[in-house]
Amino acid sequence: MAAGEWMDAATAAAGPVAMGGAAAGAALVFMLAGLVKGVVGLGLPTVSMALLALWMPTAQAAALLIVPSLATNLWQVRPWRGFSALLRQHAGMQIGICAGTWAGAWWFGAPQGAGARAALGAALVAYAGWSLAGARVPTVPARHRGWLGWVVGAATGAITAATGVFVVPAVPYLQALGLQRDALVQAMGLCFTVSTLALGAGLASQAGLPLPALAGSVALLLPAIAGMALGSRLRGHLSPEAFRKCLMAGLLALGLGMLLA
């Protein structure tokens, strides 16, 4: 589907959130998705899209995701007092994400391609299974982090443009930096935020964004934030090893969801 057709479909499908049971169901879905994201730092799009698709068109579900996804990514970057240091540390990676995403959006158009998503899902399953089996990601030497961060960012951006998924290879690379639990979650939040904004800008340059879709999306922001706040509190009670296993389980579920979609 071309970029313009994808945007037209999303705009047409994204009416007001249905009243009654459908609205309550959507709120519960976003609260659960926020909870998962609060614990492991990712998974809100996967959980929400998988559950919302049980009773609404995919285009409408995607439209409802816009504001909660961006807002929870920004929330994840906190605490703001360390934001400038975080940005300096990962600046090359963020520049690479923007460059790769914009080049990919120009080349591919809107995220599409079942084959690309299935291949990415298989890679996520393999990586998560490998890690859950006890393997560890090798640490990236400090002398290589400048150029490698840019390359990883560009690759992540290209994959984002093709599939709409921000995870690979950004998350494995951040793990390879040896970041502690909260620092890893914060860095993932930064990458996901930049990826979301870069993809939106890239698609806007191709076909314009579906602004009417934002109305229904805003209504689901509160339950997503509430779920994420609860998940963040739960994360504080996890040991580093338990957090690693939860993160890998999240990646495994994401990969399986992409394979089975």
Side-chain angles (χ1 to χ4, degrees):
M1 182 181 290
E5 294 171 343
W6 185 87
M7 286 300 177
D8 290 342
T11 302
V17 179
M19 300 299 291
L28 288 175
V29 164
F30 275 90
M31 183 173 289
L32 174 62
L35 176 67
V36 172
K37 185 174 178 64
V39 173
V40 300
L42 47 81
L44 185 140
T46 307
V47 173
S48 56
M49 286 293 290
L51 296 179
L52 290 174
L54 295 177
W55 76 85
M56 68 174 62
T58 302
Q60 183 177 356
L64 294 178
L65 184 63
I66 295 172
V67 173
S69 179
L70 180 58
T72 53
N73 286 336
L74 287 169
W75 177 283
Q76 189 172 327
V77 176
R78 298 177 313 134
W80 298 111
R81 63 180 178 275
F83 178 75
S84 59
L86 176 73
L87 188 58
R88 286 195 302 272
Q89 183 180 0
H90 302 289
M93 188 176 180
Q94 308 318 307
I95 294 171
I97 286 174
C98 291
T101 302
W102 293 335
W106 175 79
W107 184 262
F108 301 121
Q112 58 184 316
R117 289 182 64 86
L120 181 55
L124 285 173
V125 169
Y127 171 65
W130 176 72
S131 181
L132 288 171
R136 290 291 187 271
V137 179
T139 301
V140 176
R143 65 182 181 277
H144 296 314
R145 293 182 182 180
W147 68 268
L148 188 56
W150 193 94
V151 171
V152 168
T156 300
I159 291 172
T160 295
T163 67
V165 178
F166 313 144
V167 174
V168 174
V171 171
Y173 172 75
L174 292 173
Q175 281 190 290
L177 297 181
L179 300 176
Q180 297 301 310
R181 177 184 58 196
D182 291 343
L184 174 61
V185 170
Q186 187 182 29
M188 286 193 298
L190 174 62
C191 291
F192 297 161
T193 299
V194 171
S195 294
T196 301
L197 294 173
L199 182 60
L203 293 176
S205 69
Q206 298 294 310
L209 288 175
L211 296 181
L214 297 179
S217 189
V218 169
L220 294 167
L221 176 58
L222 184 59
I225 291 292
M228 189 171 179
L230 177 59
S232 297
R233 291 178 65 88
L234 292 176
R235 186 178 74 235
H237 296 288
L238 294 176
S239 68
E241 181 61 17
F243 170 75
R244 185 188 69 83
K245 290 181 177 179
C246 285
L247 175 61
M248 290 302 106
L251 291 176
L252 180 63
L254 174 59
L256 289 173
M258 295 176 69
L259 284 173
L260 299 176

